Amino acid sequence: MNDLSKTPIVPHDGTDAEARPVFATERRVLGLPVSAWPGIIAPIAIGILMLALWEALVRIKGIPSYILPGPLLIVRTLVEDWGTLSEALLVTLRVTLAALAAAIVVGVSLAVIFTQSKWLEKSLFPYAVILQVTPIVAIAPLIIIWVGDIKLSLLICAWIVSFFPILSNTIIGLNSADHNLINLFQLYGANRWQTLRYLRLPAALPFFLAGLKISGGLALIGAVVAEFVAGTGGSASGLAYRILESGYQLRIPRMFAALLMISLSGIAIFFVTSTIAYLALRRWHESAVAREN
Amino acid sequence: MANFPGNARAVSADGANAALRERPLVSLRDVSKQFSNGTLAIRGVDLDIAAGEFLSLLGPSGCGKSTLLRIIAGLGAPSAGTISWPTAIHDASGHAERQLGFVFQDPTLMPWANVLRNVMLPLTLARASKADAVPRAAEMIELVGLKGFEKAYPRELSGGMRMRVSIARALVTRPRILLMDEPFAALDEITRHRLNDDLLALWWQQRFTVVFVTHSVFESVYLSQRIVVMAARPGRVMADFGVDAPYPRDSLFRTSAEYGRICRVASEALAQAIAA
């Protein structure tokens, strides 16, 4: 091959070579570019302001804690009841993550199968829609009766709620591969598996990740809602049961503490899925790349 | 236009003629293509493409030149007529091993893969080992002038650089024929001239065959040994002539009287095709 590369074309200085990879040159504070900070500080400031208002309102009006506890009391309760609450949190998170994992596996697998066979998609997709549109609260009791095992029932409920966004997004993604690229793969005699692996799956990644962001939150909601319906007691119960229990016992601060934990878990899940999406797409997808103009 | 009876060679290139006397690389006989909506995209095209030839398909939009190129590539069979590859190796079922590279109007790169992996794609799909594919891809990247950009992603490159990646990918399998579908139409003129020169240099070094679809008279004359002018509705061959100017061609040729003369000839042929 040496004979062919005797006179390589030299890279040019101007015209079409002017666009070099863009590297951020902005000054950084604590690892983040200066311009990113207002976006972080502003919501935190608003949050602190609202909490202070809340605390002040509760104190000035003398609102009893069984109606509306102040934020400080909630935090104190959270610390005092950490043992019970953290155990419940773990139970809920375990169900959530297991359901999300199942949603990813089943959602992506079904999407791949559907795009390989139009007939399978046509015959099965309506049932996925039915599962999606039926309120989980309405079918949860049935599932609990049929399955028997409470943990498994909760997992199935959370899975039903969370798998659809992954399924439908991934289907769109798998079908959205550039038509010319599909032609190119044809030209080079790529088989189905190669087209799937090197073209359709990567093309579907941004869509899948968008679905994952939605499904992460839904899995948590599903887990909590199903537990409300199941109303499991005992040591293996999750945050939803703790909320129910606190309601019965008028331990409202504890109810708020449990609520806070659910919200924080949801935020954490969203943050993690968003970070995964950002890391996976930042080099190439328009939704994640930093633009200079 | 007495100069231009249809399907005849008014100006002939000796090199192209000599090559054509041998068996052509690709031979199209009475090729037609009708789309399912009834549109007759091309009708009765006869065309022999010689090995090593630089041929341009020139015509107004809608004349079926892209369709013809895709048919040669095997993307969609013709409705009628035959395409043969007389000198290609044929497999047991009679399919010719075409050994071609294709460059689309858009660079058509995988945005999720860096330059190296994009250029490697044809080798990856042919199940070449990494140890074999990486150096070949790297060599081709260097050849198109993108050394140092192996790890860059397509969106970090300019339009011209992306097109270079696309050309490198098409050439990485060392095809016998390179099919290009208006590859530089979307680029600015300076970049286009540069890519024209570099494409000619690559062709001159490696001696593959090029079929270059364009609607630019100037581009086709600058690049080609032979220009096939097509007319629209239905797409058909109107004129077929050689460009009798020696290679290597450079900016001196672009400003020469000879270039101007051939451009005028080609423009007239094109005008006639549009009027037809």
Side-chain angles (χ1 to χ4, degrees), chain A residues 106-191:
Chain A
V106 176
V108 172
S109 313
L110 275 183
V112 168
I113 291 168
F114 285 2
T115 45
Q116 297 299 307
S117 157
K118 275 280 155 228
W119 274 110
L120 265 179
E121 178 176 4
K122 278 183 183 151
S123 358
L124 288 180
F125 195 73
Y127 297 98
V129 175
I130 290 172
L131 267 187
Q132 160 71 11
V133 296
T134 311
I136 191 65
V137 198
I139 44 171
L142 271 180
I143 291 170
I144 291 163
I145 291 169
W146 288 340
V147 175
D149 181 62
I150 284 292
K151 280 256 176 80
L152 189 59
S153 317
L154 297 186
L155 192 131
I156 291 173
C157 290
W159 169 78
I160 288 175
V161 177
S162 61
F163 94 103
F164 191 78
I166 292 182
L167 172 69
S168 90
N169 273 27
T170 309
I171 288 176
I172 295 174
L174 289 170
N175 287 326
S176 71
D178 181 346
H179 192 75
N180 278 338
L181 269 175
I182 293 175
N183 276 342
L184 192 78
F185 273 65
Q186 265 176 293
L187 265 180
Y188 289 114
N191 59 30

Side-chain angles (χ1 to χ4, degrees), chain A residues 7 15-16 183 191 194 284, chain B residues 70 111 158 164 190 194 205:
Chain A
T7 49
T15 58
D16 71 317
N183 276 342
N191 59 30
Q194 287 176 318
W284 65 274
Chain B
R70 283 172 169 264
S158 69
R164 287 169 188 275
I190 299 168
R194 201 154 249 177
Q205 284 166 32

Side-chain angles (χ1 to χ4, degrees), chain A residues 50-70:
Chain A
M50 293 311 288
L51 287 175
L53 267 175
W54 177 0
E55 185 71 38
L57 193 74
V58 167
R59 287 184 184 224
I60 292 163
K61 293 262 180 182
I63 300 171
S65 70
Y66 58 83
I67 291 181
L68 180 66

Side-chain angles (χ1 to χ4, degrees), chain A residues 1 4-5 7-9 11-12 14-21 178 180-181 183-188 190-191 194 198-199 202-203 283-284 286 289 291, chain B residues 70 73 75 100 102 104 108-112 121-122 124-125 127 136 139 142-143 145 149 151 153 155-156 158 160-161 164 169 174 190-191 194 198 205:
Chain A
M1 289 183 190
L4 301 169
S5 47
T7 49
I9 294 152
H12 306 294
T15 58
D16 71 317
E18 86 287 358
R20 308 274 163 175
D178 181 346
N180 278 338
L181 269 175
N183 276 342
L184 192 78
F185 273 65
Q186 265 176 293
L187 265 180
Y188 289 114
N191 59 30
Q194 287 176 318
Y198 295 112
L199 179 58
R283 288 300 297 274
W284 65 274
E286 286 300 329
V289 291
R291 292 203 67 93
Chain B
R70 283 172 169 264
L75 293 170
L100 52 84
F102 200 101
F104 297 89
T108 315
L109 304 175
M110 301 181 290
W112 54 83
L121 178 72
T124 310
L125 293 178
R127 296 199 171 74
R136 281 172 69 184
E139 187 199 15
E142 185 176 354
L143 223 48
F149 288 94
K151 295 271 179 278
Y153 282 73
R155 69 166 314 284
E156 298 166 333
S158 69
M161 293 165 89
R164 287 169 188 275
R169 178 182 61 193
R174 308 239 167 240
I190 299 168
T191 305
R194 201 154 249 177
D198 290 349
Q205 284 166 32

Side-chain angles (χ1 to χ4, degrees), chain B residues 189-207:
Chain B
E189 185 158 308
I190 299 168
T191 305
R192 187 162 63 239
H193 283 181
R194 201 154 249 177
L195 278 160
N196 282 164
D197 287 339
D198 290 349
L199 174 64
L200 276 187
L202 278 171
W203 170 72
W204 192 247
Q205 284 166 32
Q206 311 211 359
R207 311 305 287 169

